[in-house]
Amino acid sequence: MNTDYETVRKIGDVLNDPKEPLAGRFRALFTLRNLGGQTAIDCISKCFGDSSALLKHECAYCLGQMQDKGAIPALESVLRDENQETIVRHEAGEALGAIGADSVLDILEEFQHSEIQEISETCQLAIQRIQWLHSQKKHDKSSKLSANPFESVDPAPPAEETTIETLRERLLDEKLSLFDRYRAMFALRNHNSEESVKALAEGLQCSNSALFRHEIAYVLGQMQHKVCVPQLMESLKKLEENAMVRHECAEALGSIAQDESEDILKEYAKDKERVVRESCEVALDMCEYEQSGDLHYADGLIKVQEAKA
């Protein structure tokens, strides 16, 4: 999208202003993601100095979704930075995998051996994603993959089309590699049916990987189906659950935007974990957006243009 430098910078100023409401900063971030280009990347990268792990994590996510190699240096720096929160470093690793450049393999291979499980698993998945992309190019395979109706860049390709029950079994089989289970996860998401939502929601009870459970919550939020609201609420309420999982459950509830979700989001907006509190705050803004019928969540450009007028 062709937008002048000063306009992009003004949107970046909103993103990087800690005095701005968090929900408004999120909207500015997604506006920058949609605009793209190096100026937007620079604005987003500047935000890695913020105090909010949630916002920084979302910045890394957006840089990955942009798939612009110009973001690689900032993402590598975040992944290496032990002062950054695990949720932020994990997302930087996932974003490097989403960009998919050969040049990121060295750092991913280094951190696949991290003592922090969420980081090591993320980097392993990112390596496998890049290797899978290479195999597709090498063999010039005609794709048998189901279409992605959500248009996101995912950490693993969906499994080749198969039955929901078979995919459910793969999803829940903790003996399989995480990459295979992720492939089943995204294939179930792409089925986009009530039956596949129910199968995915069972994954919130899997015990061996918080990263896996957090991704389950993420895809349930993408699908926006109310049948999984009880399971998402249950996971959000679990104080012993990893904060990464609880945060993603909160955002999924905001995206699904049911009346019953609003009460629990308001309750856990007072949670002791900052990333959970802030996720509930952002989720309530998402609820309001989904229920309003407004066409623009990423409204940073509109607001800057209105200010100019």
Side-chain angles (χ1 to χ4, degrees):
M1 190 179 294
N2 188 17
T3 305
D4 67 86
Y5 172 87
E6 285 304 322
T7 298
V8 176
R9 280 291 179 190
K10 286 183 182 295
I11 300 168
D13 288 344
V14 175
L15 169 64
N16 285 289
D17 186 352
K19 295 179 182 177
E20 288 282 341
L22 190 60
R25 298 175 76 186
F26 262 63
R27 289 181 179 235
L29 170 60
F30 281 89
T31 302
L32 290 169
R33 182 198 69 176
N34 293 345
L35 292 173
Q38 192 59 48
T39 304
I41 290 172
D42 292 343
C43 291
I44 294 171
S45 299
K46 181 180 177 182
C47 199
F48 287 124
D50 200 81
S51 65
S52 170
L54 179 69
L55 183 59
K56 290 184 291 186
H57 143 278
E58 210 71 23
C59 285
Y61 168 78
C62 285
L63 290 176
Q65 294 297 297
M66 291 161 76
Q67 292 192 295
D68 189 323
K69 292 180 182 179
I72 289 175
L75 291 167
E76 289 187 338
S77 177
V78 170
L79 179 55
R80 289 192 181 280
D81 187 355
E82 294 182 359
N83 292 317
Q84 291 282 8
E85 298 85 350
T86 295
I87 192 174
V88 183
R89 295 177 68 201
H90 128 75
E91 200 65 51
E94 186 171 300
L96 290 169
I99 294 170
D102 289 346
S103 62
V104 306
L105 282 171
D106 285 346
I107 189 170
L108 292 173
E109 287 168 357
E110 177 183 348
F111 282 94
Q112 71 171 322
H113 303 297
S114 171
E115 294 180 357
I116 302 172
Q117 183 179 349
E118 293 85 356
I119 293 175
S120 64
E121 288 179 343
T122 296
C123 291
Q124 289 162 21
L125 285 166
I127 291 166
Q128 289 174 291
R129 179 182 187 273
I130 295 171
Q131 290 172 339
W132 181 86
L133 289 171
H134 284 177
S135 71
Q136 295 299 292
K137 292 176 183 177
K138 181 178 179 180
H139 299 292
D140 193 26
K141 292 182 179 178
S142 57
S143 178
K144 298 179 181 178
L145 302 181
S146 56
N148 178 357
F150 303 94
E151 300 182 352
S152 53
V153 183
D154 301 319
E160 293 180 6
E161 195 68 43
T162 187
T163 66
I164 288 178
E165 183 52 36
T166 300
L167 290 169
R168 174 188 169 278
E169 289 174 2
R170 292 180 189 172
L171 179 85
L172 301 177
D173 187 349
E174 299 191 12
K175 295 178 183 177
L176 292 178
S177 73
L178 206 54
F179 190 71
D180 286 338
R181 296 173 72 197
Y182 264 55
R183 293 198 66 183
M185 179 195 309
F186 289 112
L188 283 167
R189 180 201 62 187
N190 292 353
H191 271 284
N192 203 17
S193 65
E194 182 171 327
E195 186 182 359
S196 67
V197 171
K198 289 178 178 178
L200 283 163
E202 289 185 62
L204 288 171
Q205 303 303 317
C206 288
S207 61
N208 67 344
S209 172
L211 185 74
F212 178 79
R213 296 193 300 277
H214 119 286
E215 198 71 20
I216 289 282
Y218 168 76
V219 300
L220 291 174
Q222 283 187 301
M223 297 171 84
Q224 296 183 293
H225 200 299
K226 65 182 181 181
V227 73
C228 64
V229 165
Q231 293 94 328
L232 289 167
M233 290 173 62
E234 180 183 353
S235 290
L236 175 57
K237 290 177 181 179
K238 284 182 182 176
L239 300 184
E240 69 276 16
E241 176 60 281
N242 188 301
M244 180 187 293
V245 181
R246 296 178 67 219
H247 117 77
E248 205 68 70
C249 288
E251 291 198 3
L253 289 168
S255 180
I256 296 169
Q258 295 295 300
D259 290 341
E260 64 208 276
S261 304
E262 289 190 53
D263 290 338
I264 191 171
L265 289 171
K266 288 175 182 176
E267 177 183 351
Y268 285 90
K270 303 170 186 175
D271 195 82
K272 67 176 182 178
E273 294 277 2
R274 179 177 176 180
V275 71
V276 175
R277 292 197 305 270
E278 291 183 343
S279 294
C280 290
E281 178 185 340
V282 171
L284 285 166
D285 181 61
M286 291 167 64
C287 272
E288 183 178 342
Y289 160 73
E290 292 291 345
Q291 293 171 348
S292 70
D294 192 343
L295 296 177
H296 302 286
Y297 175 76
D299 60 358
L301 182 58
I302 295 170
K303 288 184 176 178
V304 168
Q305 290 172 337
E306 288 175 348
K308 282 184 177 181

